């Protein structure tokens, strides 16, 4: 069964759904007829309909251009924006009332050799400094949050390539202490969060006032996501 988390608070109203791909294929026969190239994309959209039902949200997905959003005729319903991610085994959907959002989910282990091709020297130094037993999780944590930030930048209409995005130093963006809190969190029933504020020189999304954001990580599912708002 999909796992749902719906968070309504003063800073970010958002919801996340994560499901195993094989479970969705059992529940939704149409997915069994889809080729591998389109399977992840269609599974994300099916999971989105399940999340909308869970939240009581009306409207259809508008995905002709970024950021994706739910368009509804219900004027009482706020606009929700959408980010998708899928791996070989899992599918993830993030809904939020801010368009600056991004989610990533990973199944595969990110080897240190691969990380060295994309991570900054600062990030590699941090990964090898944590206990050996935590290094695989530390590498995957940085990778998922980096990919989530890349999607967030794409939703902000910034043209950021995967290689360039992965080269951005997430320790500088979110803070070493925040990343360590996510790595060392206890329990995995839901994603844990760390708030951050980017200096003007390190803004994810350029504007004249600065950015306040929150990063989340769900260790049991190797899923990370980010949300950001303007600061008035």
């Amino acid at each position: 069964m999909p796992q749902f988390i719906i968070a309504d608070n003063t800073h970010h109203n958002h919801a996340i759904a994560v499901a195993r791909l094989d479970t969705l294929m059992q529940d939704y026969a149409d997915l069994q007829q889809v080729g591998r190239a389109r399977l992840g994309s269609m599974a994300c959209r099916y999971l989105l309909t399940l999340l909308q039902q869970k939240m009581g949200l009306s409207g259809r997905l508008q995905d002709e251009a970024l950021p994706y959003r739910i368009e509804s005729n219900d004027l009482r319903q706020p606009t929700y924006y959408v980010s998708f991610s899928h791996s070989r085994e899992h599918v993830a959907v993030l809904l939020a009332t801010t368009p600056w959002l991004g989610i990533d989910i990973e199944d595969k282990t990110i080897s240190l050799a691969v990380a060295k091709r994309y991570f900054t020297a600062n990030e590699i130094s941090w990964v090898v400094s944590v206990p050996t037993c935590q290094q695989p999780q530390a590498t995957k944590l940085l990778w998922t949050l980096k990919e989530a930030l890349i999607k967030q930048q794409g939703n902000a209409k910034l043209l950021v390539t995967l290689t360039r995005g992965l080269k951005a130093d997430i320790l500088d963006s979110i803070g070493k202490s925040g990343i360590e809190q996510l790595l060392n969190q206890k329990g995995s029933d839901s994603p844990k969060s760390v708030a951050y504020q980017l200096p003007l020189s390190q803004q994810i999304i350029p504007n004249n006032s600065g950015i306040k954001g929150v990063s989340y990580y769900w260790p049991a599912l190797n899923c990370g996501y980010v949300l950001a708002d303007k600061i008035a």
Side-chain angles (χ1 to χ4, degrees), residues 1-4 16-21 24 28 31 40-54 83-85 90-95 105:
M1 291 294 293
Q3 298 188 55
F4 300 101
I16 179 174
V18 177
R20 287 189 58 87
L21 184 56
L24 293 182
Y28 186 41
L31 291 177
S41 177
M42 284 196 63
C44 283
R45 283 155 175 78
Y46 175 58
L47 184 57
L48 172 61
T49 64
L50 298 181
L51 181 55
Q52 284 185 251
Q53 292 170 11
K54 184 78 172 179
S83 182
F84 293 134
S85 181
H90 289 90
V91 178
V93 175
L94 173 64
L95 281 177
I105 191 165

PDB file of all heavy atoms in Angstrom, residues 1-4 16-21 24 28 31 40-54 83-85 90-95 105:
ATOM      1  N   MET A   1       0.842  -1.204   0.000  1.00  0.00           N
ATOM      2  CA  MET A   1       0.000   0.000   0.000  1.00  0.00           C
ATOM      3  C   MET A   1       0.873   1.248   0.000  1.00  0.00           C
ATOM      4  O   MET A   1       1.932   1.277   0.623  1.00  0.00           O
ATOM      5  CB  MET A   1      -0.891   0.005   1.245  1.00  0.00           C
ATOM      6  CG  MET A   1      -1.961  -1.067   1.244  1.00  0.00           C
ATOM      7  SD  MET A   1      -3.181  -0.788  -0.056  1.00  0.00           S
ATOM      8  CE  MET A   1      -3.957   0.719   0.537  1.00  0.00           C
ATOM      9  N   PRO A   2       0.437   2.299  -0.682  1.00  0.00           N
ATOM     10  CA  PRO A   2       1.186   3.554  -0.638  1.00  0.00           C
ATOM     11  C   PRO A   2       1.229   4.116   0.782  1.00  0.00           C
ATOM     12  O   PRO A   2       0.320   3.893   1.581  1.00  0.00           O
ATOM     13  CB  PRO A   2       0.386   4.476  -1.571  1.00  0.00           C
ATOM     14  CG  PRO A   2      -0.392   3.552  -2.451  1.00  0.00           C
ATOM     15  CD  PRO A   2      -0.693   2.357  -1.613  1.00  0.00           C
ATOM     16  N   GLN A   3       2.274   4.843   1.077  1.00  0.00           N
ATOM     17  CA  GLN A   3       2.388   5.544   2.350  1.00  0.00           C
ATOM     18  C   GLN A   3       2.151   7.026   2.096  1.00  0.00           C
ATOM     19  O   GLN A   3       2.755   7.607   1.193  1.00  0.00           O
ATOM     20  CB  GLN A   3       3.766   5.315   2.969  1.00  0.00           C
ATOM     21  CG  GLN A   3       4.047   3.850   3.277  1.00  0.00           C
ATOM     22  CD  GLN A   3       5.335   3.682   4.051  1.00  0.00           C
ATOM     23  OE1 GLN A   3       5.538   4.272   5.112  1.00  0.00           O
ATOM     24  NE2 GLN A   3       6.232   2.866   3.526  1.00  0.00           N
ATOM     25  N   PHE A   4       1.274   7.619   2.882  1.00  0.00           N
ATOM     26  CA  PHE A   4       0.921   9.024   2.704  1.00  0.00           C
ATOM     27  C   PHE A   4       1.300   9.811   3.952  1.00  0.00           C
ATOM     28  O   PHE A   4       1.118   9.335   5.078  1.00  0.00           O
ATOM     29  CB  PHE A   4      -0.590   9.179   2.480  1.00  0.00           C
ATOM     30  CG  PHE A   4      -1.121   8.472   1.275  1.00  0.00           C
ATOM     31  CD1 PHE A   4      -1.770   7.258   1.404  1.00  0.00           C
ATOM     32  CD2 PHE A   4      -0.978   9.019   0.014  1.00  0.00           C
ATOM     33  CE1 PHE A   4      -2.277   6.600   0.300  1.00  0.00           C
ATOM     34  CE2 PHE A   4      -1.482   8.363  -1.105  1.00  0.00           C
ATOM     35  CZ  PHE A   4      -2.130   7.157  -0.959  1.00  0.00           C
ATOM     36  N   ILE A  16       3.027  14.086   0.800  1.00  0.00           N
ATOM     37  CA  ILE A  16       3.921  13.195   0.081  1.00  0.00           C
ATOM     38  C   ILE A  16       3.297  11.813   0.042  1.00  0.00           C
ATOM     39  O   ILE A  16       2.645  11.383   0.999  1.00  0.00           O
ATOM     40  CB  ILE A  16       5.318  13.154   0.746  1.00  0.00           C
ATOM     41  CG1 ILE A  16       6.256  12.186   0.004  1.00  0.00           C
ATOM     42  CG2 ILE A  16       5.234  12.790   2.206  1.00  0.00           C
ATOM     43  CD1 ILE A  16       7.684  12.206   0.533  1.00  0.00           C
ATOM     44  N   ALA A  17       3.483  11.136  -1.072  1.00  0.00           N
ATOM     45  CA  ALA A  17       3.038   9.751  -1.227  1.00  0.00           C
ATOM     46  C   ALA A  17       4.193   8.949  -1.809  1.00  0.00           C
ATOM     47  O   ALA A  17       4.848   9.394  -2.765  1.00  0.00           O
ATOM     48  CB  ALA A  17       1.826   9.659  -2.134  1.00  0.00           C
ATOM     49  N   VAL A  18       4.448   7.785  -1.238  1.00  0.00           N
ATOM     50  CA  VAL A  18       5.500   6.884  -1.719  1.00  0.00           C
ATOM     51  C   VAL A  18       4.915   5.485  -1.818  1.00  0.00           C
ATOM     52  O   VAL A  18       4.191   5.047  -0.916  1.00  0.00           O
ATOM     53  CB  VAL A  18       6.721   6.889  -0.788  1.00  0.00           C
ATOM     54  CG1 VAL A  18       7.775   5.889  -1.266  1.00  0.00           C
ATOM     55  CG2 VAL A  18       7.331   8.283  -0.700  1.00  0.00           C
ATOM     56  N   ALA A  19       5.212   4.788  -2.902  1.00  0.00           N
ATOM     57  CA  ALA A  19       4.690   3.438  -3.080  1.00  0.00           C
ATOM     58  C   ALA A  19       5.697   2.586  -3.841  1.00  0.00           C
ATOM     59  O   ALA A  19       6.526   3.100  -4.605  1.00  0.00           O
ATOM     60  CB  ALA A  19       3.366   3.470  -3.850  1.00  0.00           C
ATOM     61  N   ARG A  20       5.620   1.287  -3.616  1.00  0.00           N
ATOM     62  CA  ARG A  20       6.404   0.355  -4.415  1.00  0.00           C
ATOM     63  C   ARG A  20       5.779   0.254  -5.800  1.00  0.00           C
ATOM     64  O   ARG A  20       4.560   0.193  -5.958  1.00  0.00           O
ATOM     65  CB  ARG A  20       6.457  -1.018  -3.761  1.00  0.00           C
ATOM     66  CG  ARG A  20       7.348  -1.085  -2.521  1.00  0.00           C
ATOM     67  CD  ARG A  20       7.517  -2.529  -2.066  1.00  0.00           C
ATOM     68  NE  ARG A  20       8.091  -3.345  -3.119  1.00  0.00           N
ATOM     69  CZ  ARG A  20       9.405  -3.495  -3.341  1.00  0.00           C
ATOM     70  NH1 ARG A  20      10.269  -2.869  -2.558  1.00  0.00           N
ATOM     71  NH2 ARG A  20       9.854  -4.270  -4.314  1.00  0.00           N
ATOM     72  N   LEU A  21       6.629   0.214  -6.810  1.00  0.00           N
ATOM     73  CA  LEU A  21       6.152   0.162  -8.183  1.00  0.00           C
ATOM     74  C   LEU A  21       5.385  -1.133  -8.452  1.00  0.00           C
ATOM     75  O   LEU A  21       4.339  -1.115  -9.110  1.00  0.00           O
ATOM     76  CB  LEU A  21       7.337   0.296  -9.141  1.00  0.00           C
ATOM     77  CG  LEU A  21       7.031   0.354 -10.629  1.00  0.00           C
ATOM     78  CD1 LEU A  21       6.066   1.483 -10.943  1.00  0.00           C
ATOM     79  CD2 LEU A  21       8.313   0.520 -11.427  1.00  0.00           C
ATOM     80  N   LEU A  24       1.800  -0.882  -7.176  1.00  0.00           N
ATOM     81  CA  LEU A  24       0.932  -0.077  -8.042  1.00  0.00           C
ATOM     82  C   LEU A  24       0.550  -0.849  -9.302  1.00  0.00           C
ATOM     83  O   LEU A  24      -0.583  -0.745  -9.785  1.00  0.00           O
ATOM     84  CB  LEU A  24       1.628   1.230  -8.424  1.00  0.00           C
ATOM     85  CG  LEU A  24       1.878   2.245  -7.306  1.00  0.00           C
ATOM     86  CD1 LEU A  24       2.518   3.498  -7.872  1.00  0.00           C
ATOM     87  CD2 LEU A  24       0.589   2.593  -6.576  1.00  0.00           C
ATOM     88  N   TYR A  28      -3.267  -1.394 -10.495  1.00  0.00           N
ATOM     89  CA  TYR A  28      -3.691  -0.628 -11.669  1.00  0.00           C
ATOM     90  C   TYR A  28      -3.251  -1.383 -12.916  1.00  0.00           C
ATOM     91  O   TYR A  28      -2.089  -1.313 -13.335  1.00  0.00           O
ATOM     92  CB  TYR A  28      -3.068   0.765 -11.615  1.00  0.00           C
ATOM     93  CG  TYR A  28      -3.521   1.727 -12.691  1.00  0.00           C
ATOM     94  CD1 TYR A  28      -4.851   1.805 -13.092  1.00  0.00           C
ATOM     95  CD2 TYR A  28      -2.605   2.574 -13.308  1.00  0.00           C
ATOM     96  CE1 TYR A  28      -5.250   2.689 -14.072  1.00  0.00           C
ATOM     97  CE2 TYR A  28      -2.998   3.472 -14.287  1.00  0.00           C
ATOM     98  CZ  TYR A  28      -4.328   3.520 -14.665  1.00  0.00           C
ATOM     99  OH  TYR A  28      -4.733   4.395 -15.640  1.00  0.00           O
ATOM    100  N   LEU A  31      -0.941  -0.221 -15.952  1.00  0.00           N
ATOM    101  CA  LEU A  31       0.510  -0.110 -15.830  1.00  0.00           C
ATOM    102  C   LEU A  31       1.216  -1.359 -16.334  1.00  0.00           C
ATOM    103  O   LEU A  31       2.380  -1.303 -16.736  1.00  0.00           O
ATOM    104  CB  LEU A  31       0.904   0.153 -14.369  1.00  0.00           C
ATOM    105  CG  LEU A  31       0.525   1.513 -13.786  1.00  0.00           C
ATOM    106  CD1 LEU A  31       0.917   1.593 -12.315  1.00  0.00           C
ATOM    107  CD2 LEU A  31       1.210   2.643 -14.560  1.00  0.00           C
ATOM    108  N   GLY A  40       7.532   4.487 -15.188  1.00  0.00           N
ATOM    109  CA  GLY A  40       7.717   5.353 -14.025  1.00  0.00           C
ATOM    110  C   GLY A  40       6.850   6.595 -14.098  1.00  0.00           C
ATOM    111  O   GLY A  40       6.235   6.994 -13.108  1.00  0.00           O
ATOM    112  N   SER A  41       6.790   7.209 -15.272  1.00  0.00           N
ATOM    113  CA  SER A  41       6.000   8.427 -15.438  1.00  0.00           C
ATOM    114  C   SER A  41       4.519   8.164 -15.203  1.00  0.00           C
ATOM    115  O   SER A  41       3.842   8.925 -14.500  1.00  0.00           O
ATOM    116  CB  SER A  41       6.228   8.994 -16.840  1.00  0.00           C
ATOM    117  OG  SER A  41       5.425  10.125 -17.063  1.00  0.00           O
ATOM    118  N   MET A  42       4.005   7.075 -15.770  1.00  0.00           N
ATOM    119  CA  MET A  42       2.587   6.768 -15.596  1.00  0.00           C
ATOM    120  C   MET A  42       2.272   6.369 -14.162  1.00  0.00           C
ATOM    121  O   MET A  42       1.214   6.708 -13.619  1.00  0.00           O
ATOM    122  CB  MET A  42       2.159   5.669 -16.569  1.00  0.00           C
ATOM    123  CG  MET A  42       1.991   6.148 -17.997  1.00  0.00           C
ATOM    124  SD  MET A  42       1.048   4.964 -19.019  1.00  0.00           S
ATOM    125  CE  MET A  42      -0.545   4.977 -18.187  1.00  0.00           C
ATOM    126  N   ALA A  43       3.197   5.646 -13.525  1.00  0.00           N
ATOM    127  CA  ALA A  43       2.983   5.250 -12.142  1.00  0.00           C
ATOM    128  C   ALA A  43       2.928   6.470 -11.229  1.00  0.00           C
ATOM    129  O   ALA A  43       2.137   6.519 -10.282  1.00  0.00           O
ATOM    130  CB  ALA A  43       4.085   4.287 -11.696  1.00  0.00           C
ATOM    131  N   CYS A  44       3.763   7.469 -11.512  1.00  0.00           N
ATOM    132  CA  CYS A  44       3.725   8.716 -10.730  1.00  0.00           C
ATOM    133  C   CYS A  44       2.350   9.366 -10.835  1.00  0.00           C
ATOM    134  O   CYS A  44       1.791   9.846  -9.834  1.00  0.00           O
ATOM    135  CB  CYS A  44       4.789   9.684 -11.237  1.00  0.00           C
ATOM    136  SG  CYS A  44       6.480   9.313 -10.709  1.00  0.00           S
ATOM    137  N   ARG A  45       1.813   9.386 -12.024  1.00  0.00           N
ATOM    138  CA  ARG A  45       0.516  10.042 -12.224  1.00  0.00           C
ATOM    139  C   ARG A  45      -0.620   9.262 -11.574  1.00  0.00           C
ATOM    140  O   ARG A  45      -1.575   9.858 -11.078  1.00  0.00           O
ATOM    141  CB  ARG A  45       0.286  10.245 -13.725  1.00  0.00           C
ATOM    142  CG  ARG A  45       1.112  11.431 -14.262  1.00  0.00           C
ATOM    143  CD  ARG A  45       1.413  11.343 -15.744  1.00  0.00           C
ATOM    144  NE  ARG A  45       2.101  12.563 -16.188  1.00  0.00           N
ATOM    145  CZ  ARG A  45       3.386  12.807 -15.971  1.00  0.00           C
ATOM    146  NH1 ARG A  45       4.139  11.933 -15.313  1.00  0.00           N
ATOM    147  NH2 ARG A  45       3.936  13.942 -16.390  1.00  0.00           N
ATOM    148  N   TYR A  46      -0.508   7.947 -11.569  1.00  0.00           N
ATOM    149  CA  TYR A  46      -1.513   7.146 -10.869  1.00  0.00           C
ATOM    150  C   TYR A  46      -1.425   7.375  -9.363  1.00  0.00           C
ATOM    151  O   TYR A  46      -2.450   7.542  -8.685  1.00  0.00           O
ATOM    152  CB  TYR A  46      -1.316   5.670 -11.191  1.00  0.00           C
ATOM    153  CG  TYR A  46      -2.231   4.752 -10.412  1.00  0.00           C
ATOM    154  CD1 TYR A  46      -3.612   4.875 -10.490  1.00  0.00           C
ATOM    155  CD2 TYR A  46      -1.703   3.764  -9.583  1.00  0.00           C
ATOM    156  CE1 TYR A  46      -4.456   4.044  -9.765  1.00  0.00           C
ATOM    157  CE2 TYR A  46      -2.538   2.922  -8.862  1.00  0.00           C
ATOM    158  CZ  TYR A  46      -3.908   3.070  -8.957  1.00  0.00           C
ATOM    159  OH  TYR A  46      -4.737   2.241  -8.235  1.00  0.00           O
ATOM    160  N   LEU A  47      -0.200   7.426  -8.842  1.00  0.00           N
ATOM    161  CA  LEU A  47      -0.037   7.682  -7.412  1.00  0.00           C
ATOM    162  C   LEU A  47      -0.557   9.070  -7.045  1.00  0.00           C
ATOM    163  O   LEU A  47      -1.122   9.267  -5.965  1.00  0.00           O
ATOM    164  CB  LEU A  47       1.438   7.546  -7.013  1.00  0.00           C
ATOM    165  CG  LEU A  47       1.768   7.698  -5.528  1.00  0.00           C
ATOM    166  CD1 LEU A  47       1.000   6.689  -4.678  1.00  0.00           C
ATOM    167  CD2 LEU A  47       3.278   7.545  -5.286  1.00  0.00           C
ATOM    168  N   LEU A  48      -0.398  10.037  -7.947  1.00  0.00           N
ATOM    169  CA  LEU A  48      -0.933  11.381  -7.706  1.00  0.00           C
ATOM    170  C   LEU A  48      -2.452  11.328  -7.544  1.00  0.00           C
ATOM    171  O   LEU A  48      -3.006  11.990  -6.655  1.00  0.00           O
ATOM    172  CB  LEU A  48      -0.564  12.311  -8.858  1.00  0.00           C
ATOM    173  CG  LEU A  48      -1.207  13.707  -8.834  1.00  0.00           C
ATOM    174  CD1 LEU A  48      -0.795  14.480  -7.585  1.00  0.00           C
ATOM    175  CD2 LEU A  48      -0.849  14.484 -10.097  1.00  0.00           C
ATOM    176  N   THR A  49      -3.141  10.548  -8.369  1.00  0.00           N
ATOM    177  CA  THR A  49      -4.603  10.462  -8.230  1.00  0.00           C
ATOM    178  C   THR A  49      -4.978   9.863  -6.875  1.00  0.00           C
ATOM    179  O   THR A  49      -5.967  10.285  -6.263  1.00  0.00           O
ATOM    180  CB  THR A  49      -5.221   9.617  -9.359  1.00  0.00           C
ATOM    181  OG1 THR A  49      -4.752   8.268  -9.275  1.00  0.00           O
ATOM    182  CG2 THR A  49      -4.876  10.190 -10.721  1.00  0.00           C
ATOM    183  N   LEU A  50      -4.199   8.900  -6.397  1.00  0.00           N
ATOM    184  CA  LEU A  50      -4.470   8.313  -5.082  1.00  0.00           C
ATOM    185  C   LEU A  50      -4.252   9.338  -3.974  1.00  0.00           C
ATOM    186  O   LEU A  50      -5.023   9.402  -3.011  1.00  0.00           O
ATOM    187  CB  LEU A  50      -3.574   7.089  -4.841  1.00  0.00           C
ATOM    188  CG  LEU A  50      -3.748   5.910  -5.801  1.00  0.00           C
ATOM    189  CD1 LEU A  50      -2.791   4.772  -5.408  1.00  0.00           C
ATOM    190  CD2 LEU A  50      -5.193   5.420  -5.813  1.00  0.00           C
ATOM    191  N   LEU A  51      -3.203  10.157  -4.123  1.00  0.00           N
ATOM    192  CA  LEU A  51      -2.931  11.190  -3.126  1.00  0.00           C
ATOM    193  C   LEU A  51      -4.024  12.253  -3.142  1.00  0.00           C
ATOM    194  O   LEU A  51      -4.458  12.724  -2.076  1.00  0.00           O
ATOM    195  CB  LEU A  51      -1.564  11.820  -3.391  1.00  0.00           C
ATOM    196  CG  LEU A  51      -1.101  12.921  -2.423  1.00  0.00           C
ATOM    197  CD1 LEU A  51      -1.127  12.441  -0.979  1.00  0.00           C
ATOM    198  CD2 LEU A  51       0.292  13.421  -2.808  1.00  0.00           C
ATOM    199  N   GLN A  52      -4.490  12.627  -4.313  1.00  0.00           N
ATOM    200  CA  GLN A  52      -5.583  13.592  -4.394  1.00  0.00           C
ATOM    201  C   GLN A  52      -6.840  13.060  -3.720  1.00  0.00           C
ATOM    202  O   GLN A  52      -7.539  13.792  -3.013  1.00  0.00           O
ATOM    203  CB  GLN A  52      -5.885  13.934  -5.857  1.00  0.00           C
ATOM    204  CG  GLN A  52      -4.886  14.863  -6.510  1.00  0.00           C
ATOM    205  CD  GLN A  52      -5.304  15.244  -7.915  1.00  0.00           C
ATOM    206  OE1 GLN A  52      -4.697  14.808  -8.899  1.00  0.00           O
ATOM    207  NE2 GLN A  52      -6.337  16.057  -8.035  1.00  0.00           N
ATOM    208  N   GLN A  53      -7.134  11.787  -3.941  1.00  0.00           N
ATOM    209  CA  GLN A  53      -8.296  11.180  -3.285  1.00  0.00           C
ATOM    210  C   GLN A  53      -8.132  11.201  -1.769  1.00  0.00           C
ATOM    211  O   GLN A  53      -9.077  11.500  -1.031  1.00  0.00           O
ATOM    212  CB  GLN A  53      -8.479   9.744  -3.775  1.00  0.00           C
ATOM    213  CG  GLN A  53      -8.897   9.631  -5.224  1.00  0.00           C
ATOM    214  CD  GLN A  53      -8.846   8.206  -5.740  1.00  0.00           C
ATOM    215  OE1 GLN A  53      -8.694   7.252  -4.973  1.00  0.00           O
ATOM    216  NE2 GLN A  53      -8.957   8.039  -7.054  1.00  0.00           N
ATOM    217  N   LYS A  54      -6.921  10.911  -1.302  1.00  0.00           N
ATOM    218  CA  LYS A  54      -6.646  10.909   0.130  1.00  0.00           C
ATOM    219  C   LYS A  54      -6.860  12.288   0.733  1.00  0.00           C
ATOM    220  O   LYS A  54      -7.362  12.432   1.854  1.00  0.00           O
ATOM    221  CB  LYS A  54      -5.203  10.454   0.366  1.00  0.00           C
ATOM    222  CG  LYS A  54      -4.786  10.316   1.814  1.00  0.00           C
ATOM    223  CD  LYS A  54      -5.308   9.047   2.425  1.00  0.00           C
ATOM    224  CE  LYS A  54      -4.733   8.821   3.812  1.00  0.00           C
ATOM    225  NZ  LYS A  54      -5.252   7.571   4.437  1.00  0.00           N
ATOM    226  N   SER A  83       5.708  17.580  -7.785  1.00  0.00           N
ATOM    227  CA  SER A  83       7.014  17.074  -8.197  1.00  0.00           C
ATOM    228  C   SER A  83       6.966  15.552  -8.137  1.00  0.00           C
ATOM    229  O   SER A  83       6.388  14.981  -7.211  1.00  0.00           O
ATOM    230  CB  SER A  83       8.124  17.606  -7.283  1.00  0.00           C
ATOM    231  OG  SER A  83       9.395  17.139  -7.718  1.00  0.00           O
ATOM    232  N   PHE A  84       7.565  14.906  -9.146  1.00  0.00           N
ATOM    233  CA  PHE A  84       7.566  13.450  -9.244  1.00  0.00           C
ATOM    234  C   PHE A  84       8.992  12.901  -9.131  1.00  0.00           C
ATOM    235  O   PHE A  84       9.958  13.565  -9.512  1.00  0.00           O
ATOM    236  CB  PHE A  84       7.021  12.985 -10.603  1.00  0.00           C
ATOM    237  CG  PHE A  84       5.564  13.278 -10.835  1.00  0.00           C
ATOM    238  CD1 PHE A  84       5.156  13.834 -12.045  1.00  0.00           C
ATOM    239  CD2 PHE A  84       4.613  12.986  -9.886  1.00  0.00           C
ATOM    240  CE1 PHE A  84       3.811  14.084 -12.298  1.00  0.00           C
ATOM    241  CE2 PHE A  84       3.262  13.239 -10.127  1.00  0.00           C
ATOM    242  CZ  PHE A  84       2.863  13.788 -11.331  1.00  0.00           C
ATOM    243  N   SER A  85       9.076  11.653  -8.669  1.00  0.00           N
ATOM    244  CA  SER A  85      10.337  10.920  -8.747  1.00  0.00           C
ATOM    245  C   SER A  85      10.010   9.439  -8.812  1.00  0.00           C
ATOM    246  O   SER A  85       9.040   8.970  -8.209  1.00  0.00           O
ATOM    247  CB  SER A  85      11.233  11.208  -7.539  1.00  0.00           C
ATOM    248  OG  SER A  85      12.469  10.503  -7.651  1.00  0.00           O
ATOM    249  N   HIS A  90      10.524   2.152  -6.582  1.00  0.00           N
ATOM    250  CA  HIS A  90       9.607   3.043  -5.882  1.00  0.00           C
ATOM    251  C   HIS A  90       9.152   4.210  -6.761  1.00  0.00           C
ATOM    252  O   HIS A  90       9.817   4.576  -7.736  1.00  0.00           O
ATOM    253  CB  HIS A  90      10.264   3.601  -4.608  1.00  0.00           C
ATOM    254  CG  HIS A  90      10.438   2.592  -3.531  1.00  0.00           C
ATOM    255  ND1 HIS A  90      11.571   1.810  -3.422  1.00  0.00           N
ATOM    256  CD2 HIS A  90       9.624   2.228  -2.511  1.00  0.00           C
ATOM    257  CE1 HIS A  90      11.451   1.005  -2.386  1.00  0.00           C
ATOM    258  NE2 HIS A  90      10.284   1.230  -1.815  1.00  0.00           N
ATOM    259  N   VAL A  91       8.035   4.778  -6.355  1.00  0.00           N
ATOM    260  CA  VAL A  91       7.478   5.976  -6.982  1.00  0.00           C
ATOM    261  C   VAL A  91       7.154   6.967  -5.868  1.00  0.00           C
ATOM    262  O   VAL A  91       6.679   6.565  -4.797  1.00  0.00           O
ATOM    263  CB  VAL A  91       6.186   5.635  -7.767  1.00  0.00           C
ATOM    264  CG1 VAL A  91       5.587   6.889  -8.375  1.00  0.00           C
ATOM    265  CG2 VAL A  91       6.473   4.612  -8.845  1.00  0.00           C
ATOM    266  N   ALA A  92       7.425   8.250  -6.098  1.00  0.00           N
ATOM    267  CA  ALA A  92       7.165   9.269  -5.081  1.00  0.00           C
ATOM    268  C   ALA A  92       6.511  10.491  -5.707  1.00  0.00           C
ATOM    269  O   ALA A  92       6.848  10.881  -6.834  1.00  0.00           O
ATOM    270  CB  ALA A  92       8.466   9.675  -4.382  1.00  0.00           C
ATOM    271  N   VAL A  93       5.582  11.083  -4.967  1.00  0.00           N
ATOM    272  CA  VAL A  93       4.883  12.293  -5.412  1.00  0.00           C
ATOM    273  C   VAL A  93       4.902  13.300  -4.274  1.00  0.00           C
ATOM    274  O   VAL A  93       4.645  12.950  -3.117  1.00  0.00           O
ATOM    275  CB  VAL A  93       3.420  11.989  -5.799  1.00  0.00           C
ATOM    276  CG1 VAL A  93       2.676  13.274  -6.136  1.00  0.00           C
ATOM    277  CG2 VAL A  93       3.357  11.021  -6.963  1.00  0.00           C
ATOM    278  N   LEU A  94       5.205  14.536  -4.591  1.00  0.00           N
ATOM    279  CA  LEU A  94       5.169  15.634  -3.629  1.00  0.00           C
ATOM    280  C   LEU A  94       4.194  16.693  -4.123  1.00  0.00           C
ATOM    281  O   LEU A  94       4.277  17.140  -5.272  1.00  0.00           O
ATOM    282  CB  LEU A  94       6.568  16.247  -3.467  1.00  0.00           C
ATOM    283  CG  LEU A  94       6.687  17.506  -2.619  1.00  0.00           C
ATOM    284  CD1 LEU A  94       6.312  17.237  -1.162  1.00  0.00           C
ATOM    285  CD2 LEU A  94       8.115  18.066  -2.697  1.00  0.00           C
ATOM    286  N   LEU A  95       3.265  17.077  -3.266  1.00  0.00           N
ATOM    287  CA  LEU A  95       2.337  18.182  -3.525  1.00  0.00           C
ATOM    288  C   LEU A  95       2.623  19.283  -2.519  1.00  0.00           C
ATOM    289  O   LEU A  95       2.821  19.008  -1.332  1.00  0.00           O
ATOM    290  CB  LEU A  95       0.886  17.736  -3.346  1.00  0.00           C
ATOM    291  CG  LEU A  95       0.193  16.952  -4.459  1.00  0.00           C
ATOM    292  CD1 LEU A  95      -1.211  16.567  -4.013  1.00  0.00           C
ATOM    293  CD2 LEU A  95       0.131  17.770  -5.736  1.00  0.00           C
ATOM    294  N   ILE A 105      13.861  10.073  -5.062  1.00  0.00           N
ATOM    295  CA  ILE A 105      13.899   8.809  -4.344  1.00  0.00           C
ATOM    296  C   ILE A 105      14.892   7.895  -5.047  1.00  0.00           C
ATOM    297  O   ILE A 105      14.953   7.866  -6.278  1.00  0.00           O
ATOM    298  CB  ILE A 105      12.500   8.167  -4.249  1.00  0.00           C
ATOM    299  CG1 ILE A 105      12.506   7.000  -3.272  1.00  0.00           C
ATOM    300  CG2 ILE A 105      11.953   7.766  -5.603  1.00  0.00           C
ATOM    301  CD1 ILE A 105      11.117   6.558  -2.858  1.00  0.00           C
TER     302      ILE A 105
END
